[in-house]
Amino acid sequence: GYTLGGAALNKYSSIAIRHFGAADKVPMVDGVVSDQEAADKRKTKNKNDGNKSNTDGKDKKTKKERKKKAKKAKKKNKYYDSTDEDDDDDIYQEFNTLSTATQSSTRRSGRACIKRQRDRNLKESMHETEPYGLRTDIELYAPFVAPRAEETSEVDDVDAAVADKTGGGCKHGSARKKNKHVEQYEQPFEIVYCPNALLVADVHSHLCAAVEIMGLLGGTYDEAQRKLYVRKCYPIMEEAQTDQSVTADATDLFNVTERARNEDGLEVIGWYHSHPNFETYPSNTDCHQHYMQKYENELKQPYIGLIVGSWSTSDVFGGKSEYRFFNSIKEYQYTYTPLQFTPETQVQIPLHIDGATDDGDDDGALFQQIKQLVARYSALRYALYRCDFGEQWQGSKFTHGEKLLHSMRSHLQHTEQQTSLVESFIDKVKQCFMENVNEWWLTNAPQPKIDLEVTTAEDKENDANGLNDN
């Protein structure tokens, strides 16, 4: 009277009818369900049954939770949109590849990094989980608006309001929105830089072919007009450098900071470093390092970052390096948001080639600074990192040495009367490299220039001596 599974046999079941031919022919032995029991089982339960009410409550609760989770996921996808669908194994494998990356490796997109961190629900900073991920989602500041006179006296009140609005999640003066309808950050101050002053950073970034370099930016700040002037670059010696990171020598960093303040009368208003193999987007590590070095109140003490794209520039035909001024704020507990400045240029260091000696004027100091920089990287310690100026640059028509000179020519700004002096200045810089030609040209070394006047005088003297002997 039981099935193979041990359940009571219903004589109306298909297996019973198939075996006995009809329900009436099923013998009522122990275990066979009677007609009354079968009818009771087929009855529907009452709607007011307590068990049914409990089940309905659970179903409603489960449905409500599912709806809530779907709404939350939709809201997150609005801010973290990405097409990257890598699984955890791929992420772990590629992260290990980045840790021991070579110059041929590719960096991850910053937006994809944010999405993976959200999906994996990691309570770690992105500069730890994705240190070399480039933040291609960098936001552009809204155009800077000069403060009015009445606004200048209310800076402290604005800072307090910003701190309340952001809940202390970022430093003052960096998180103000232009208005509630426009999702764009207001640029806290204006950047004005002299292209001739940044020439040192441009030359510096070309001296190493595959590893990064860094330095400091010196300048002044007009708090009333909120204008930041970049007036000088200070190269820093490296303690360690790779194709994706660079660490400053602590002693040299301290000495350069003191020299900028005590000798030049400038404040350290930022830092620069190069991206020789990648675009000028800041990485997660760049955003973290920049935020940690910033001052508490940006409207009173600004601090900016500059990335120089030397060999990674997109200007393959002209060879001009790319500059990107950036800032970073901390919007979330483990996330930094990069922001890009729109700077203005103003010639503050005019070119005077006659003064390109140690005579104390601005252009002489600029030339001497470049000359000292070339001499430093001509040393033996940089033999593994030094660029070969005779090698062809990424399939273009320029060699590395020619590309550097073209970049300098593109960045130099001068008056109309000084147009003829630009080439003279570039020739003097080239001569600094020619003094160490064996270090900078491993291939296709150029021939040194021959002074035609001296050669002619020597030839005349030799000819005269030859005639006397005859």
Side-chain angles (χ1 to χ4, degrees):
Y2 297 93
T3 64
L4 294 178
L9 179 64
N10 187 344
K11 65 180 183 178
Y12 294 100
S13 63
S14 59
I15 188 173
I17 294 174
R18 185 170 60 252
H19 183 74
F20 292 101
D24 297 338
K25 297 181 180 180
V26 177
M28 296 302 296
V29 295
D30 185 24
V32 178
V33 180
S34 63
D35 293 344
Q36 183 63 32
E37 291 175 341
D40 292 340
K41 286 185 177 182
R42 294 179 63 183
K43 288 182 180 180
T44 59
K45 293 187 178 181
N46 192 350
K47 292 183 179 181
N48 297 327
D49 188 24
N51 295 332
K52 178 65 177 178
S53 300
N54 293 338
T55 305
D56 290 344
K58 291 180 179 180
D59 292 342
K60 289 180 180 180
K61 185 176 180 181
T62 304
K63 185 177 181 180
K64 186 176 181 180
E65 290 178 352
R66 287 199 301 266
K67 187 176 180 181
K68 186 177 180 181
K69 288 181 178 180
K71 185 177 180 181
K72 187 175 181 181
K74 184 178 179 181
K75 183 177 180 182
K76 286 185 176 181
N77 288 333
K78 180 180 177 182
Y79 296 98
Y80 304 101
D81 184 20
S82 175
T83 58
D84 194 339
E85 300 295 340
D86 295 341
D87 56 14
D88 290 344
D89 293 337
D90 294 338
I91 294 171
Y92 179 78
Q93 181 179 359
E94 192 157 348
F95 177 74
N96 284 343
T97 304
L98 288 173
S99 299
T100 58
T102 63
Q103 55 180 312
S104 62
S105 62
T106 57
R107 291 189 177 183
R108 286 182 173 271
S109 166
R111 187 177 292 276
C113 296
I114 296 176
K115 183 179 184 298
R116 278 192 301 277
Q117 184 183 21
R118 171 179 61 82
D119 293 341
R120 294 158 66 185
N121 195 24
L122 295 177
K123 293 185 177 180
E124 298 179 12
S125 299
M126 291 180 60
H127 67 276
E128 297 176 348
T129 58
E130 297 281 356
Y132 305 125
L134 291 181
R135 298 301 302 272
T136 57
D137 60 335
I138 187 171
E139 299 182 25
L140 184 65
Y141 271 123
F144 174 76
V145 179
R148 297 187 299 271
E150 58 271 16
E151 291 181 349
T152 306
S153 60
E154 298 176 357
V155 171
D156 294 335
D157 296 337
V158 171
D159 293 339
V162 170
D164 294 338
K165 182 177 180 179
T166 59
C170 59
K171 299 187 179 183
H172 299 181
S174 61
R176 288 194 297 159
K177 296 279 186 170
K178 189 174 182 181
N179 58 62
K180 64 180 180 180
H181 302 292
V182 180
E183 290 297 324
Q184 193 174 16
Y185 290 95
E186 178 184 348
Q187 186 167 313
F189 46 83
E190 184 180 14
I191 297 177
V192 181
Y193 73 92
C194 177
N196 298 345
L198 290 190
L199 199 66
V200 173
D202 187 25
V203 174
H204 190 191
S205 65
H206 284 88
L207 300 184
C208 294
V211 295
E212 296 185 359
I213 53 86
M214 70 170 297
L216 298 179
L217 300 175
T220 57
Y221 179 57
D222 185 350
E223 183 179 347
Q225 297 298 322
R226 279 197 271 163
K227 285 190 176 183
L228 183 66
Y229 296 92
V230 182
R231 302 187 183 277
K232 193 171 183 179
C233 294
Y234 296 91
I236 301 293
M237 295 183 64
E238 305 85 5
E239 181 178 302
Q241 53 187 151
T242 67
D243 62 331
Q244 294 181 330
S245 64
V246 59
T247 304
D249 181 82
T251 303
D252 193 48
L253 179 64
F254 176 80
N255 294 334
V256 168
T257 303
E258 291 297 307
R259 184 166 67 251
R261 292 173 177 172
N262 299 331
E263 297 181 10
D264 298 335
L266 301 176
E267 289 295 328
V268 176
I269 49 93
W271 66 300
Y272 73 87
H273 72 289
S274 66
H275 278 189
N277 305 304
F278 304 99
E279 299 90 338
T280 55
Y281 296 109
S283 65
N284 292 315
T285 301
D286 296 337
C287 294
H288 169 71
Q289 292 292 343
H290 181 76
Y291 182 82
M292 297 303 294
Q293 298 298 324
K294 287 168 57 175
Y295 298 102
E296 183 64 25
N297 192 333
E298 286 192 325
L299 295 181
K300 292 184 177 296
Q301 290 181 295
Y303 194 84
I304 60 175
L306 169 64
I307 300 177
V308 183
S310 52
W311 307 117
S312 62
T313 179
S314 58
D315 187 8
V316 181
F317 299 101
K320 185 178 181 179
S321 300
E322 296 176 347
Y323 295 154
R324 189 189 296 270
F325 290 91
F326 76 98
N327 192 10
S328 67
I329 62 175
K330 194 173 185 179
E331 283 193 304
Y332 308 101
Q333 186 175 3
Y334 305 107
T335 304
Y336 297 97
T337 298
L339 299 166
Q340 180 176 334
F341 290 99
T342 303
E344 298 291 336
T345 60
Q346 178 181 342
V347 178
Q348 303 166 17
I349 303 179
L351 289 179
H352 298 290
I353 299 303
D354 293 337
T357 57
D358 193 10
D359 58 0
D361 67 0
D362 288 339
D363 189 58
L366 175 63
F367 178 80
Q368 291 299 320
Q369 192 177 14
I370 294 177
K371 186 176 182 179
Q372 294 172 5
L373 186 63
V374 174
R376 176 196 297 180
Y377 281 83
S378 299
L380 182 61
R381 61 169 293 186
Y382 291 102
L384 295 177
Y385 306 133
R386 200 163 39 234
C387 184
D388 180 9
F389 281 0
E391 186 181 11
Q392 206 72 15
W393 171 52
Q394 59 182 12
S396 70
K397 62 180 181 180
F398 302 130
T399 62
H400 284 162
E402 293 171 343
K403 191 271 181 192
L404 166 60
L405 300 181
H406 278 282
S407 182
M408 291 177 57
R409 187 178 293 107
S410 301
H411 282 295
L412 278 173
Q413 289 192 3
H414 48 83
T415 61
E416 295 180 0
Q417 295 78 9
Q418 296 174 325
T419 304
S420 60
L421 302 180
V422 174
E423 293 301 325
S424 299
F425 183 85
I426 294 177
D427 287 340
K428 285 182 176 292
V429 174
K430 181 179 179 180
Q431 192 61 33
C432 294
F433 291 100
M434 291 294 295
E435 293 175 359
N436 300 278
V437 63
N438 293 331
E439 282 74 24
W440 293 104
W441 276 272
L442 301 181
T443 57
N444 303 320
Q447 297 296 326
K449 290 184 178 180
I450 301 175
D451 194 334
L452 297 180
E453 295 182 359
V454 174
T455 304
T456 303
E458 291 178 352
D459 291 341
K460 289 181 179 180
E461 184 178 355
N462 292 334
D463 292 342
N465 294 334
L467 291 174
N468 294 332
D469 292 340
N470 293 331

